[in-house]
Amino acid sequence: MDEETDGIRQNRLPERSIDTADRRLLGVLVEDATVSYAELGEKAGLSAPAAHERVKRMRRSGAIRQTVAMADPRSVGKPLLAFVHVDTRGWGKTPELMAVSSFPEVEEIHTVAGDACILLKVRTEDTRALEGLLARIYDTPGVTSTRSYVVLSTYLERPVQPGITQDWPAPKLGTNPIY
Amino acid sequence: MDEETDGIRQNRLPERSIDTADRRLLGVLVEDATVSYAELGEKAGLSAPAAHERVKRMRRSGAIRQTVAMADPRSVGKPLLAFVHVDTRGWGKTPELMAVSSFPEVEEIHTVAGDACILLKVRTEDTRALEGLLARIYDTPGVTSTRSYVVLSTYLERPVQPGITQDWPAPKLGTNPIY
DNA sequence: CTTGAAAAGTCAACATA
DNA sequence: TATGTTGACTTTTCAAG
């Protein structure tokens, strides 16, 4: 029982305590969310309803943000991956710049500390489409420059790992690109 | 499915034809893979078995790489996200460097064109853990330097979008960070 | 696309610590 | 009191027609 007894229990909506059993469940679901609750419980040392109950709770609390299918980039016509560093005049977090999230090519938007203000992860069909996307980013007010890092090969790309609780199957250390 | 698919099969099946109906199915599954096939078919204008058949085919062909739960980074104790540019002596794609994939903090490994050789996406508990990870990366033979971009806020982070086939619900353009 | 058997998900009352 | 278990019951899955 790794209970966190800090006494005061106010009406905090998200109960974010993740115990060892939850971590085991997450460890399975992060690799394959198509398993049945029976199998999931078996792998985590729980009965099916118990596993289900905990998973439901983690979904409610936000510990599991969502369960999604990961599409193959090439199959959907976006084989070109790039990271774009965006420099802006002033503080870059403007609504106009955040509006780039409406481009389906943009998968991630972060503000970063370093020599760049904003970092984008973008996926396009080819270099021409990337050029077009960059042109639209340049059109955004406040943007002064961009630097693009075009990905040649991707060797690892996986969701958030819930941390090591016990033995962990070594990830297939890719000496060959997965894309 | 107690199939012992250890993920080693990185088969590239030539069957990669994705039509409009497949794209609609993917569009739903990429946002929420917990829907039933009945609901999935309804949203994509197909019967449940038809939807099921197509999804199975996309899983076999690799168009759907996997179906996973996305864990909240904070809930699993990794609130600090950083992108690390790694410079190497010679061609950096050595097995030693690829072995960093055994660190659960490392989520992505790419080789890139630009002023860096390799780009890592890493998630750690705090700056101290990031420092430790960087130290281990420095220990790797051939690594000459690293530059880290620590993420201050994440405004968008989503899986590969299957492309726009028709009306697409505008993603909640985040003016507030999601982490 | 429809069907139907098999499997999984879901709920309630009980047990446990 | 909160969490796990067992077993009945409902829904979904999925291959055959």
Side-chain angles (χ1 to χ4, degrees):
Chain A
M1 297 285 189
D2 31 15
E3 192 83 47
E4 313 180 62
T5 61
D6 48 347
I8 301 177
R9 189 174 318 176
Q10 285 289 23
N11 44 4
R12 295 189 181 276
L13 301 180
E15 178 71 43
R16 286 193 183 278
S17 52
I18 297 299
D19 64 8
T20 306
D22 289 331
R23 276 203 147 80
R24 281 201 299 266
L25 294 169
L26 262 182
V28 175
L29 293 178
V30 155
E31 294 215 325
D32 182 7
T34 67
V35 294
S36 67
Y37 284 113
E39 191 177 350
L40 175 62
E42 189 179 355
K43 290 186 177 181
L46 267 63
S47 70
H52 182 241
E53 190 57 42
R54 280 174 173 271
V55 170
K56 255 196 313 190
R57 211 181 43 209
M58 286 194 283
R59 282 194 218 277
R60 259 189 294 115
S61 74
I64 294 178
R65 290 175 54 214
Q66 48 183 0
T67 299
V68 300
M70 301 195 60
D72 175 54
R74 284 189 303 166
S75 297
V76 299
K78 293 156 122 179
L80 185 64
L81 174 62
F83 291 88
V84 181
H85 291 199
V86 180
D87 298 317
T88 61
R89 195 168 30 240
W91 177 227
K93 202 203 79 175
T94 65
E96 291 93 341
L97 195 44
M98 289 305 140
V100 300
S101 62
S102 62
F103 301 148
E105 299 95 335
V106 178
E107 290 183 5
E108 300 185 19
I109 304 177
H110 311 277
T111 57
V112 298
D115 57 23
C117 294
I118 287 177
L119 201 154
L120 306 177
K121 181 181 182 181
V122 305
R123 235 182 259 275
T124 58
E125 181 177 1
D126 49 27
T127 53
R128 179 144 192 89
L130 175 59
E131 186 177 22
L133 180 60
L134 289 173
R136 281 178 289 173
I137 291 171
Y138 263 108
D139 281 344
T140 304
V143 171
T144 58
S145 69
T146 68
R147 266 178 323 278
S148 296
Y149 296 87
V150 174
V151 170
L152 303 175
S153 292
T154 294
Y155 292 89
L156 182 71
E157 190 169 35
R158 61 183 173 192
V160 179
Q161 302 293 295
I164 305 179
T165 50
Q166 50 177 13
D167 55 350
W168 201 258
K172 45 272 178 182
L173 40 92
T175 182
N176 291 321
I178 61 177
Y179 297 142
Chain B
M1 51 176 69
D2 32 12
E3 197 83 44
E4 198 60 31
T5 58
D6 273 354
I8 307 296
R9 287 168 58 99
Q10 196 62 52
N11 276 359
R12 304 180 182 279
L13 300 184
E15 177 67 48
R16 287 201 182 273
S17 47
I18 297 297
D19 64 7
T20 306
D22 288 332
R23 276 204 147 80
R24 280 201 300 267
L25 294 169
L26 260 181
V28 175
L29 293 177
V30 154
E31 294 216 325
D32 182 7
T34 67
V35 295
S36 69
Y37 285 113
E39 190 176 350
L40 176 62
E42 189 179 354
K43 290 186 178 181
L46 267 62
S47 72
H52 180 238
E53 190 57 42
R54 282 175 174 272
V55 170
K56 249 196 322 187
R57 191 158 48 82
M58 286 194 283
R59 281 194 217 277
R60 261 189 294 112
S61 74
I64 295 178
R65 289 174 56 216
Q66 49 183 359
T67 300
V68 300
M70 301 195 60
D72 175 53
R74 282 187 305 166
S75 297
V76 300
K78 293 155 120 180
L80 184 63
L81 173 63
F83 291 87
V84 180
H85 291 200
V86 180
D87 298 316
T88 60
R89 193 167 34 238
W91 178 227
K93 202 203 81 175
T94 65
E96 290 93 341
L97 194 44
M98 290 304 142
V100 300
S101 62
S102 62
F103 301 147
E105 299 95 333
V106 177
E107 291 183 5
E108 301 186 19
I109 305 177
H110 312 276
T111 58
V112 297
D115 58 23
C117 293
I118 287 179
L119 202 153
L120 306 177
K121 181 180 182 181
V122 306
R123 234 182 259 276
T124 57
E125 180 176 2
D126 50 27
T127 53
R128 180 143 192 90
L130 175 59
E131 186 178 22
L133 180 60
L134 289 173
R136 282 177 289 172
I137 291 171
Y138 263 108
D139 280 343
T140 304
V143 171
T144 58
S145 70
T146 68
R147 267 178 321 277
S148 296
Y149 296 87
V150 174
V151 170
L152 303 174
S153 292
T154 294
Y155 292 89
L156 182 70
E157 191 169 35
R158 60 183 174 192
V160 180
Q161 302 293 295
I164 304 180
T165 50
Q166 52 178 13
D167 56 348
W168 200 258
K172 45 277 180 183
L173 41 92
T175 182
N176 290 322
I178 60 179
Y179 297 142

